[in-house]
Amino acid sequence: MVNTNSALVAAQFDFANQDLRIARLKADQLQKDAELARSRNRITLILLGGSVLTAGLMGFNFLSLRRSSRRIEAANTRLNAANDSLEQALKAKSEFLATTSHEIRTPLNGILGVTQVLLADPNITPEVRDRVTLMHGAGETMRALVSDILDAAKIENGSLTIEKGETDLAGLLDDAGRFWTDKAEEKGLSLTVDRGETPARIVEDGPRLRQVVFNLLSNAIKFTDAGSVGLTAGVEGEGPAERLVIRVADSGIGIPLDQMEGIFESFRQVDSGVTRRFGGTGLGLSISRDLAEAMGGTLGVESELGRGSTFTLTLPLVRLSSSAAGMDEDPCPDGDVFLIVEANPLTQSVLKSVVAPLGLAAETAASLDAAMERLAAGGVSAVLVDAAGLGAEMEDRLQSVSRLAAAGARRIVVTWPSPDAETLHALGEAGAAQVIAKPISAARLIAALREGLDAKA
């Protein structure tokens, strides 16, 4: 009995212990659940706070982006307005330079024409010749400066054009030699010209080629105090790869190796001391390289400081075909009046002086209509007219030549800037007997007119 009671008491004690353990387990579980709930609440609060913060940041960024976008739009508007103003300013500058250069060139060309006529007169005294030579040189320098400034503006706004046509290469090189020989001799330098095996006539932009060659010779003489300057021309390659190579070498001050490319930048010379000593704008070489590249060629330099420099101009060579090299020329008909069609009075006087050695009485007509009236009166042996005096467009110019021929002009001579083969043919069909390429010196114009008038006479 005692054992049974003891077992019952032990069982009751174990049951109580079990209940106690279960209660403890339940308490522990409740505590864990409470902690888990608190953790979840913290996480929820953190996530909620993060969401609010993210939303706030996104809103702030959105507002910032809108403000930045508005600022960019305003800046773009101001930039577009500035670009428009700049474009208008560049256009106005180019128009001003073109107009100004034309207004300067017209009287300047007249002055240079008169000086060329005077220098061609063997009867003037040495004292007068020296003065005229000085005036002519100053005029040529001024004309080159005007051309450089105008070309710099054209290159800057992309309006530079190349017009290739018949070019008297032999005459161009000879003219360069004659013109710069006097300037070289003034400094005690010798100037040599070697045309090599180059063709006499080629297809190229004659005025631009002349400008490059003159710029190179001007620089060579300017920066050489003693020794010599040489102008040489030759042909390299064969067939389609033929190249015209013109070199100007001097024994001058040379160029430092680290400044070889810098001299081709606008308004740049070797250093400020060079600018003070030799003068100049620093545009010549920059423009010359741009012109060379525009003509499809290159302009490079080799130099040794204190020993001299050699500038090399390389251009594609297009020989002038024999059929385009000249035109059938009618003999000089009866009559002794040489009629000059020119509106500018100064140019009229210059051309009258130029044709005087031909032995013909020169008369002038200020317009085509005035020329028609003079032709109707008879006694005119030849008519000289510039392309600009024939009209603005090619069709107008050809019709003007035909009108002159129909009015009784038996020999029509047209001066034309670098005419190509197609232009020569069209002018010949319209009635022109001779086309003389411009630019041309007074002496070569006289020779060309005499050659034309004597042909088949």
Side-chain angles (χ1 to χ4, degrees):
M1 185 68 179
V2 174
N3 290 335
T4 302
N5 289 334
S6 297
L8 180 61
V9 171
Q12 289 177 343
F13 181 77
D14 290 338
F15 179 77
N17 287 337
Q18 290 292 334
D19 285 342
L20 181 60
R21 282 197 295 270
I22 291 172
R24 287 177 178 173
L25 289 174
K26 287 181 178 181
D28 291 342
Q29 185 63 42
L30 287 174
Q31 186 176 0
K32 290 180 179 178
D33 290 343
E35 290 179 356
L36 181 60
R38 285 194 297 270
S39 297
R40 287 176 178 173
N41 289 335
R42 284 196 298 270
I43 293 172
T44 301
L45 290 173
I46 291 172
L47 291 176
L48 181 61
S51 299
V52 171
L53 180 61
T54 301
L57 290 174
M58 290 179 64
F60 176 77
N61 289 337
F62 176 74
L63 292 175
S64 298
L65 288 173
R66 286 193 62 182
R67 293 194 196 98
S68 298
S69 177
R70 288 172 181 171
R71 285 196 295 267
I72 291 173
E73 289 178 0
N76 286 335
T77 301
R78 292 194 298 270
L79 181 60
N80 289 334
N83 285 336
D84 291 339
S85 299
L86 179 60
E87 184 176 350
Q88 293 175 2
L90 288 174
K91 182 178 180 181
K93 183 186 73 171
S94 298
E95 291 176 353
F96 171 76
L97 288 173
T99 302
T100 303
S101 65
H102 174 74
E103 294 300 325
I104 295 175
R105 278 175 171 174
T106 299
L108 188 56
N109 286 336
I111 294 171
L112 291 174
V114 171
T115 57
Q116 287 179 354
V117 172
L118 291 174
L119 292 173
D121 184 357
N123 297 320
I124 63 173
T125 64
E127 182 180 0
V128 172
R129 183 177 297 278
D130 289 341
R131 293 176 179 175
V132 174
T133 300
L134 180 63
M135 181 172 64
H136 183 75
E140 288 285 0
T141 301
M142 185 176 181
R143 183 167 65 178
L145 179 60
V146 171
S147 297
D148 284 347
I149 294 174
L150 179 59
D151 284 338
K154 288 181 177 180
I155 292 169
E156 182 180 357
N157 61 25
S159 62
L160 180 70
T161 58
I162 298 297
E163 299 179 0
K164 296 196 176 186
E166 178 184 353
T167 298
D168 183 359
L169 178 60
L172 186 153
L173 296 175
D174 289 343
D175 283 346
R178 279 193 295 268
F179 178 80
W180 291 103
T181 292
D182 291 340
K183 297 183 181 299
E185 290 177 349
E186 289 175 4
K187 296 186 66 174
L189 307 174
S190 63
L191 174 62
T192 59
V193 178
D194 181 4
R195 292 194 276 112
E197 299 298 324
T198 55
R201 309 185 78 81
I202 62 173
V203 177
E204 190 50 86
D205 190 327
R208 299 300 187 189
L209 178 57
R210 173 188 174 92
Q211 185 176 353
V212 175
V213 172
F214 271 52
N215 275 342
L216 295 180
L217 283 173
S218 173
N219 267 13
I221 293 173
K222 180 192 299 184
F223 296 110
T224 302
D225 291 328
S228 62
V229 173
L231 170 63
T232 61
V235 177
E236 296 181 0
E238 297 180 356
E242 264 194 326
R243 312 288 286 181
L244 172 65
V245 181
I246 297 176
R247 292 184 173 88
V248 175
D250 64 66
S251 56
I253 61 175
I255 306 166
L257 184 61
D258 60 347
Q259 298 188 35
M260 286 286 193
E261 288 301 315
I263 61 172
F264 291 106
E265 297 177 9
S266 297
F267 306 106
R268 281 285 301 275
Q269 290 187 345
V270 173
D271 56 43
S272 59
V274 168
T275 304
R276 289 192 298 270
R277 179 183 174 192
F278 295 100
T281 62
L283 282 173
L285 288 177
S286 171
I287 292 172
S288 295
R289 171 170 277 188
D290 288 334
L291 291 177
E293 292 175 352
M295 290 187 288
T298 60
L299 177 61
V301 59
E302 296 177 355
S303 182
E304 185 177 347
L305 192 61
R307 299 289 298 274
S309 306
T310 299
F311 287 85
T312 303
L313 172 66
T314 305
L315 297 172
L317 177 59
V318 180
R319 298 174 183 267
L320 191 68
S321 61
S322 57
S323 59
M327 301 173 58
D328 290 337
E329 299 169 345
D330 296 329
C332 180
D334 294 334
D336 58 357
V337 173
F338 192 99
L339 183 62
I340 299 168
V341 184
E342 173 58 52
N344 187 286
L346 181 58
T347 307
Q348 287 179 358
S349 299
V350 172
L351 290 175
K352 287 178 70 173
S353 300
V354 168
V355 302
L358 298 176
L360 301 174
E363 295 184 12
T364 59
S367 65
L368 285 175
D369 291 337
M372 302 293 182
E373 295 178 3
R374 180 61 188 86
L375 286 168
V380 177
S381 63
V383 176
L384 174 65
V385 60
D386 185 72
L390 294 172
E393 303 296 333
M394 183 65 179
E395 183 177 354
D396 296 334
R397 293 175 175 180
L398 295 177
Q399 289 177 356
S400 297
V401 173
S402 298
R403 286 178 59 201
L404 289 172
R410 291 167 291 183
R411 177 176 183 78
I412 302 172
V413 181
V414 181
T415 55
W416 195 283
S418 299
D420 55 23
E422 183 179 353
T423 300
L424 290 171
H425 178 74
L427 289 171
E429 290 292 319
Q434 185 180 10
V435 178
I436 299 175
K438 295 168 49 182
I440 189 169
S441 65
R444 293 193 65 79
L445 178 58
I446 294 172
L449 290 173
R450 180 177 285 115
E451 179 182 353
L453 291 171
D454 290 342
K456 299 183 181 180

mmCIF file of all heavy atoms in Angstrom, residues 351-382:
data_model
loop_
_atom_site.group_PDB
_atom_site.id
_atom_site.type_symbol
_atom_site.label_atom_id
_atom_site.label_comp_id
_atom_site.label_asym_id
_atom_site.label_seq_id
_atom_site.Cartn_x
_atom_site.Cartn_y
_atom_site.Cartn_z
ATOM 1 N N LEU A 351 44.535 100.723 -120.148
ATOM 2 C CA LEU A 351 44.495 99.863 -121.331
ATOM 3 C C LEU A 351 44.862 100.636 -122.602
ATOM 4 O O LEU A 351 45.496 100.073 -123.505
ATOM 5 C CB LEU A 351 43.106 99.235 -121.468
ATOM 6 C CG LEU A 351 42.754 98.186 -120.402
ATOM 7 C CD1 LEU A 351 41.318 97.709 -120.565
ATOM 8 C CD2 LEU A 351 43.714 97.000 -120.490
ATOM 9 N N LYS A 352 44.477 101.891 -122.684
ATOM 10 C CA LYS A 352 44.878 102.693 -123.848
ATOM 11 C C LYS A 352 46.395 102.831 -123.907
ATOM 12 O O LYS A 352 46.996 102.771 -124.986
ATOM 13 C CB LYS A 352 44.217 104.072 -123.778
ATOM 14 C CG LYS A 352 42.717 104.054 -124.086
ATOM 15 C CD LYS A 352 42.104 105.428 -123.951
ATOM 16 C CE LYS A 352 42.576 106.363 -125.071
ATOM 17 N NZ LYS A 352 41.858 107.659 -125.032
ATOM 18 N N SER A 353 47.009 102.989 -122.726
ATOM 19 C CA SER A 353 48.468 103.064 -122.696
ATOM 20 C C SER A 353 49.099 101.725 -123.059
ATOM 21 O O SER A 353 50.151 101.678 -123.710
ATOM 22 C CB SER A 353 48.941 103.502 -121.299
ATOM 23 O OG SER A 353 48.423 104.759 -120.954
ATOM 24 N N VAL A 354 48.443 100.631 -122.656
ATOM 25 C CA VAL A 354 48.977 99.302 -122.937
ATOM 26 C C VAL A 354 48.971 99.015 -124.436
ATOM 27 O O VAL A 354 49.940 98.463 -124.981
ATOM 28 C CB VAL A 354 48.164 98.233 -122.180
ATOM 29 C CG1 VAL A 354 48.511 96.829 -122.681
ATOM 30 C CG2 VAL A 354 48.452 98.320 -120.685
ATOM 31 N N VAL A 355 47.883 99.344 -125.123
ATOM 32 C CA VAL A 355 47.764 98.995 -126.551
ATOM 33 C C VAL A 355 48.434 100.011 -127.453
ATOM 34 O O VAL A 355 48.541 99.786 -128.667
ATOM 35 C CB VAL A 355 46.281 98.842 -126.950
ATOM 36 C CG1 VAL A 355 45.612 97.783 -126.100
ATOM 37 C CG2 VAL A 355 45.534 100.166 -126.856
ATOM 38 N N ALA A 356 48.911 101.127 -126.887
ATOM 39 C CA ALA A 356 49.550 102.145 -127.726
ATOM 40 C C ALA A 356 50.715 101.592 -128.546
ATOM 41 O O ALA A 356 50.861 101.940 -129.733
ATOM 42 C CB ALA A 356 50.011 103.316 -126.855
ATOM 43 N N PRO A 357 51.578 100.712 -127.973
ATOM 44 C CA PRO A 357 52.691 100.176 -128.777
ATOM 45 C C PRO A 357 52.255 99.331 -129.975
ATOM 46 O O PRO A 357 53.085 99.021 -130.832
ATOM 47 C CB PRO A 357 53.464 99.318 -127.759
ATOM 48 C CG PRO A 357 53.110 99.870 -126.422
ATOM 49 C CD PRO A 357 51.686 100.292 -126.557
ATOM 50 N N LEU A 358 50.978 98.958 -130.059
ATOM 51 C CA LEU A 358 50.521 98.151 -131.188
ATOM 52 C C LEU A 358 50.384 98.971 -132.464
ATOM 53 O O LEU A 358 50.196 98.418 -133.549
ATOM 54 C CB LEU A 358 49.166 97.507 -130.854
ATOM 55 C CG LEU A 358 49.156 96.536 -129.666
ATOM 56 C CD1 LEU A 358 47.736 96.052 -129.392
ATOM 57 C CD2 LEU A 358 50.079 95.352 -129.920
ATOM 58 N N GLY A 359 50.453 100.294 -132.331
ATOM 59 C CA GLY A 359 50.355 101.142 -133.500
ATOM 60 C C GLY A 359 48.928 101.376 -133.953
ATOM 61 O O GLY A 359 48.712 101.830 -135.087
ATOM 62 N N LEU A 360 47.961 101.099 -133.104
ATOM 63 C CA LEU A 360 46.558 101.309 -133.433
ATOM 64 C C LEU A 360 45.998 102.440 -132.588
ATOM 65 O O LEU A 360 46.418 102.639 -131.452
ATOM 66 C CB LEU A 360 45.740 100.036 -133.189
ATOM 67 C CG LEU A 360 46.170 98.783 -133.961
ATOM 68 C CD1 LEU A 360 45.353 97.586 -133.500
ATOM 69 C CD2 LEU A 360 45.997 98.996 -135.453
ATOM 70 N N ALA A 361 45.056 103.168 -133.135
ATOM 71 C CA ALA A 361 44.404 104.235 -132.388
ATOM 72 C C ALA A 361 43.397 103.603 -131.428
ATOM 73 O O ALA A 361 42.450 102.947 -131.875
ATOM 74 C CB ALA A 361 43.704 105.201 -133.339
ATOM 75 N N ALA A 362 43.614 103.781 -130.154
ATOM 76 C CA ALA A 362 42.736 103.162 -129.163
ATOM 77 C C ALA A 362 41.579 104.092 -128.831
ATOM 78 O O ALA A 362 41.766 105.282 -128.589
ATOM 79 C CB ALA A 362 43.519 102.836 -127.902
ATOM 80 N N GLU A 363 40.391 103.529 -128.835
ATOM 81 C CA GLU A 363 39.197 104.238 -128.402
ATOM 82 C C GLU A 363 38.507 103.402 -127.331
ATOM 83 O O GLU A 363 38.710 102.191 -127.238
ATOM 84 C CB GLU A 363 38.237 104.483 -129.576
ATOM 85 C CG GLU A 363 38.801 105.405 -130.642
ATOM 86 C CD GLU A 363 37.780 105.695 -131.738
ATOM 87 O OE1 GLU A 363 36.588 105.366 -131.532
ATOM 88 O OE2 GLU A 363 38.172 106.252 -132.784
ATOM 89 N N THR A 364 37.685 104.058 -126.534
ATOM 90 C CA THR A 364 37.020 103.349 -125.441
ATOM 91 C C THR A 364 35.502 103.475 -125.559
ATOM 92 O O THR A 364 34.984 104.449 -126.091
ATOM 93 C CB THR A 364 37.458 103.909 -124.073
ATOM 94 O OG1 THR A 364 37.133 105.299 -124.004
ATOM 95 C CG2 THR A 364 38.944 103.707 -123.863
ATOM 96 N N ALA A 365 34.836 102.460 -125.048
ATOM 97 C CA ALA A 365 33.380 102.458 -124.940
ATOM 98 C C ALA A 365 33.033 102.005 -123.535
ATOM 99 O O ALA A 365 33.551 100.988 -123.056
ATOM 100 C CB ALA A 365 32.752 101.526 -125.972
ATOM 101 N N ALA A 366 32.178 102.754 -122.844
ATOM 102 C CA ALA A 366 31.876 102.471 -121.454
ATOM 103 C C ALA A 366 30.895 101.325 -121.271
ATOM 104 O O ALA A 366 30.720 100.843 -120.157
ATOM 105 C CB ALA A 366 31.345 103.723 -120.769
ATOM 106 N N SER A 367 30.246 100.875 -122.351
ATOM 107 C CA SER A 367 29.260 99.800 -122.244
ATOM 108 C C SER A 367 29.164 99.058 -123.563
ATOM 109 O O SER A 367 29.693 99.512 -124.596
ATOM 110 C CB SER A 367 27.887 100.364 -121.856
ATOM 111 O OG SER A 367 27.393 101.194 -122.904
ATOM 112 N N LEU A 368 28.479 97.931 -123.531
ATOM 113 C CA LEU A 368 28.286 97.166 -124.758
ATOM 114 C C LEU A 368 27.454 97.951 -125.763
ATOM 115 O O LEU A 368 27.709 97.893 -126.976
ATOM 116 C CB LEU A 368 27.612 95.828 -124.438
ATOM 117 C CG LEU A 368 28.492 94.759 -123.784
ATOM 118 C CD1 LEU A 368 27.653 93.552 -123.412
ATOM 119 C CD2 LEU A 368 29.621 94.340 -124.726
ATOM 120 N N ASP A 369 26.438 98.654 -125.286
ATOM 121 C CA ASP A 369 25.605 99.446 -126.202
ATOM 122 C C ASP A 369 26.434 100.521 -126.891
ATOM 123 O O ASP A 369 26.285 100.759 -128.099
ATOM 124 C CB ASP A 369 24.450 100.083 -125.424
ATOM 125 C CG ASP A 369 23.439 99.057 -124.947
ATOM 126 O OD1 ASP A 369 23.377 97.967 -125.560
ATOM 127 O OD2 ASP A 369 22.730 99.324 -123.950
ATOM 128 N N ALA A 370 27.320 101.175 -126.116
ATOM 129 C CA ALA A 370 28.191 102.190 -126.718
ATOM 130 C C ALA A 370 29.136 101.545 -127.730
ATOM 131 O O ALA A 370 29.451 102.134 -128.774
ATOM 132 C CB ALA A 370 28.977 102.908 -125.631
ATOM 133 N N ALA A 371 29.587 100.325 -127.444
ATOM 134 C CA ALA A 371 30.462 99.616 -128.379
ATOM 135 C C ALA A 371 29.714 99.292 -129.673
ATOM 136 O O ALA A 371 30.289 99.382 -130.773
ATOM 137 C CB ALA A 371 30.988 98.340 -127.739
ATOM 138 N N MET A 372 28.429 98.912 -129.561
ATOM 139 C CA MET A 372 27.627 98.620 -130.750
ATOM 140 C C MET A 372 27.529 99.849 -131.656
ATOM 141 O O MET A 372 27.663 99.759 -132.878
ATOM 142 C CB MET A 372 26.216 98.177 -130.349
ATOM 143 C CG MET A 372 26.168 96.968 -129.439
ATOM 144 S SD MET A 372 26.720 95.457 -130.237
ATOM 145 C CE MET A 372 26.469 94.301 -128.888
ATOM 146 N N GLU A 373 27.294 101.017 -131.040
ATOM 147 C CA GLU A 373 27.187 102.248 -131.817
ATOM 148 C C GLU A 373 28.502 102.568 -132.525
ATOM 149 O O GLU A 373 28.506 102.984 -133.698
ATOM 150 C CB GLU A 373 26.786 103.404 -130.900
ATOM 151 C CG GLU A 373 25.389 103.264 -130.292
ATOM 152 C CD GLU A 373 25.059 104.408 -129.366
ATOM 153 O OE1 GLU A 373 25.892 105.339 -129.252
ATOM 154 O OE2 GLU A 373 23.974 104.381 -128.740
ATOM 155 N N ARG A 374 29.629 102.351 -131.799
ATOM 156 C CA ARG A 374 30.929 102.648 -132.423
ATOM 157 C C ARG A 374 31.225 101.669 -133.547
ATOM 158 O O ARG A 374 31.789 102.049 -134.589
ATOM 159 C CB ARG A 374 32.030 102.593 -131.350
ATOM 160 C CG ARG A 374 33.423 102.891 -131.910
ATOM 161 C CD ARG A 374 33.478 104.286 -132.498
ATOM 162 N NE ARG A 374 34.718 104.556 -133.195
ATOM 163 C CZ ARG A 374 34.955 104.256 -134.466
ATOM 164 N NH1 ARG A 374 34.019 103.659 -135.211
ATOM 165 N NH2 ARG A 374 36.119 104.574 -135.016
ATOM 166 N N LEU A 375 30.861 100.418 -133.380
ATOM 167 C CA LEU A 375 31.077 99.431 -134.439
ATOM 168 C C LEU A 375 30.252 99.769 -135.677
ATOM 169 O O LEU A 375 30.701 99.545 -136.818
ATOM 170 C CB LEU A 375 30.707 98.031 -133.921
ATOM 171 C CG LEU A 375 31.702 97.393 -132.938
ATOM 172 C CD1 LEU A 375 31.082 96.166 -132.282
ATOM 173 C CD2 LEU A 375 32.990 97.009 -133.662
ATOM 174 N N ALA A 376 29.073 100.295 -135.460
ATOM 175 C CA ALA A 376 28.216 100.641 -136.595
ATOM 176 C C ALA A 376 28.838 101.743 -137.447
ATOM 177 O O ALA A 376 28.583 101.824 -138.661
ATOM 178 C CB ALA A 376 26.839 101.069 -136.091
ATOM 179 N N ALA A 377 29.683 102.577 -136.823
ATOM 180 C CA ALA A 377 30.326 103.656 -137.572
ATOM 181 C C ALA A 377 31.476 103.156 -138.441
ATOM 182 O O ALA A 377 31.939 103.862 -139.337
ATOM 183 C CB ALA A 377 30.822 104.728 -136.606
ATOM 184 N N GLY A 378 31.968 101.932 -138.173
ATOM 185 C CA GLY A 378 33.029 101.332 -138.984
ATOM 186 C C GLY A 378 34.421 101.762 -138.573
ATOM 187 O O GLY A 378 34.614 102.605 -137.694
ATOM 188 N N GLY A 379 35.416 101.149 -139.226
ATOM 189 C CA GLY A 379 36.808 101.507 -138.993
ATOM 190 C C GLY A 379 37.437 100.861 -137.766
ATOM 191 O O GLY A 379 38.529 101.250 -137.360
ATOM 192 N N VAL A 380 36.772 99.871 -137.165
ATOM 193 C CA VAL A 380 37.304 99.215 -135.965
ATOM 194 C C VAL A 380 38.000 97.920 -136.370
ATOM 195 O O VAL A 380 37.387 97.057 -137.013
ATOM 196 C CB VAL A 380 36.188 98.926 -134.944
ATOM 197 C CG1 VAL A 380 36.748 98.173 -133.746
ATOM 198 C CG2 VAL A 380 35.518 100.219 -134.496
ATOM 199 N N SER A 381 39.267 97.787 -135.998
ATOM 200 C CA SER A 381 40.017 96.588 -136.363
ATOM 201 C C SER A 381 39.861 95.467 -135.343
ATOM 202 O O SER A 381 39.921 94.291 -135.684
ATOM 203 C CB SER A 381 41.504 96.920 -136.516
ATOM 204 O OG SER A 381 42.026 97.357 -135.273
ATOM 205 N N ALA A 382 39.671 95.828 -134.059
ATOM 206 C CA ALA A 382 39.567 94.802 -133.024
ATOM 207 C C ALA A 382 38.854 95.386 -131.817
ATOM 208 O O ALA A 382 38.832 96.599 -131.602
ATOM 209 C CB ALA A 382 40.946 94.282 -132.629
#
